[in-house]
């Protein structure tokens, strides 16, 4: 039984955001760090993966849709991917890193003190690319959770980059938001599960310096625009809900 779990989602290859969160006392002290997908698809994929692998067994990896896409791009290429940086990121990866992402499970369930079995996924428990939002209708949630065991009363998901905690017919749903591509507010968003309650956290870091560092060390053609848009959170939560909303069947 784990006493505390830090949840890091949607890092998207941004090492300064990752390092800022890994320096948080509650992350250092956590029993496990769970990564709920979309880890490396961004401007520093190799560095982010190496940093996380270096943490050893403390890290629990969960596959996101971006992991599937990077593996396919790295091995086969030629598939349509919504994020234009993904093809560049896939080309940077070493074979061992591609193999690592190809082995990742989805979903993963861990026993957490005060919460019991907690299911960690990317999009939804049944599909790493499925969209559910804070205002998704209850019958959609019921459909999404229909195969989740009754004893699982807490579900942690990522994918939409918007932090929220809400009840869904008695179950607690947590989305920690995104470390590297936050929507709504700048900073690295994450979650802590401890003492039977999920907590949303945001770690501030020097965004301007992070943009300079990433731009100087990355040869992706659009990197300056990428970091400016995402690290400064130029997309609001309202923008994201308008963009993602049609995908939850509303």
């Amino acid at each position: 039984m784990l006493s505390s779990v830090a949840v890091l989602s949607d890092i998207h290859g941004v090492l300064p955001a990752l390092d800022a969160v890994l320096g948080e006392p509650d992350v250092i002290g956590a029993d496990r760090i769970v990564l709920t997908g979309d880890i490396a698809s961004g401007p520093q994929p190799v560095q982010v993966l190496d940093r996380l692998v270096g943490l050893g067994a403390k890290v629990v990896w969960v596959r996101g849709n971006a992991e599937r896409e990077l593996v396919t791009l790295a091995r086969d290429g030629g598939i349509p991917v919504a994020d234009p940086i993904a093809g560049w990121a896939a080309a940077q990866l070493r074979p061992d890193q591609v193999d690592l992402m190809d082995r990742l499970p989805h979903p993963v369930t861990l026993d957490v003190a005060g919460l019991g079995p907690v299911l960690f996924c990317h999009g939804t428990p049944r599909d790493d690319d499925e969209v559910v939002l804070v205002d998704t209708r209850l019958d959609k949630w019921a459909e999404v959770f229909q195969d989740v065991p009754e004893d699982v009363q807490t579900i942690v998901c990522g994918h939409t980059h918007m932090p929220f905690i809400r009840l869904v017919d008695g179950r607690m749903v947590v989305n920690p938001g995104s470390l590297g591509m936050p929507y709504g507010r700048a900073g690295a968003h994450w979650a802590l599960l401890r003492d039977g309650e999920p907590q949303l956290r945001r770690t501030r870091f020097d965004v301007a310096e992070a943009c300079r560092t990433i731009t100087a060390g990355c040869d992706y053609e659009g990197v300056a625009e990428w970091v400016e848009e995402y690290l400064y959170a130029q997309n609001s939560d309202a923008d994201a809900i308008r963009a993602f909303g049609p995908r939850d069947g509303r």
Side-chain angles (χ1 to χ4, degrees), residues 61-100:
W61 303 68
V62 180
R63 187 191 73 234
N65 61 291
E67 279 67 59
R68 288 189 296 100
E69 292 162 1
L70 287 179
V71 169
T72 301
L73 286 165
R75 291 178 174 170
D76 304 319
I79 63 167
V81 176
D83 186 354
I85 202 172
W88 176 89
Q92 312 310 305
L93 298 173
R94 302 188 306 266
D96 64 293
Q97 294 175 322
V98 176
D99 291 342
L100 167 67

Side-chain angles (χ1 to χ4, degrees), residues 59-138:
V59 175
V60 177
W61 303 68
V62 180
R63 187 191 73 234
N65 61 291
E67 279 67 59
R68 288 189 296 100
E69 292 162 1
L70 287 179
V71 169
T72 301
L73 286 165
R75 291 178 174 170
D76 304 319
I79 63 167
V81 176
D83 186 354
I85 202 172
W88 176 89
Q92 312 310 305
L93 298 173
R94 302 188 306 266
D96 64 293
Q97 294 175 322
V98 176
D99 291 342
L100 167 67
M101 288 188 292
D102 195 27
R103 296 193 303 268
L104 298 186
H106 182 277
V108 170
T109 301
L110 301 173
D111 285 326
V112 182
L115 295 171
V118 178
L119 187 149
F120 299 87
C121 60
H122 186 62
T124 69
R126 65 182 185 177
D127 184 343
D128 62 30
D129 198 30
E130 188 169 25
V131 167
V132 282
L133 302 164
V134 67
D135 61 344
T136 292
R137 67 191 192 282
L138 282 174

Side-chain angles (χ1 to χ4, degrees), residues 122-124 129-138 140-141 144-145 157-168 173-175 183 236-250:
H122 186 62
T124 69
D129 198 30
E130 188 169 25
V131 167
V132 282
L133 302 164
V134 67
D135 61 344
T136 292
R137 67 191 192 282
L138 282 174
K140 175 66 172 183
W141 283 107
V144 163
F145 292 160
C157 56
H159 194 36
T160 60
H161 300 202
M162 291 175 288
F164 68 81
I165 299 174
R166 67 160 290 181
L167 282 173
V168 176
V173 179
V174 182
N175 189 317
Y183 297 155
S236 73
D237 56 320
D239 293 334
I241 287 176
R242 281 191 290 268
F244 282 123
R247 292 182 56 189
D248 77 352
R250 63 186 60 196

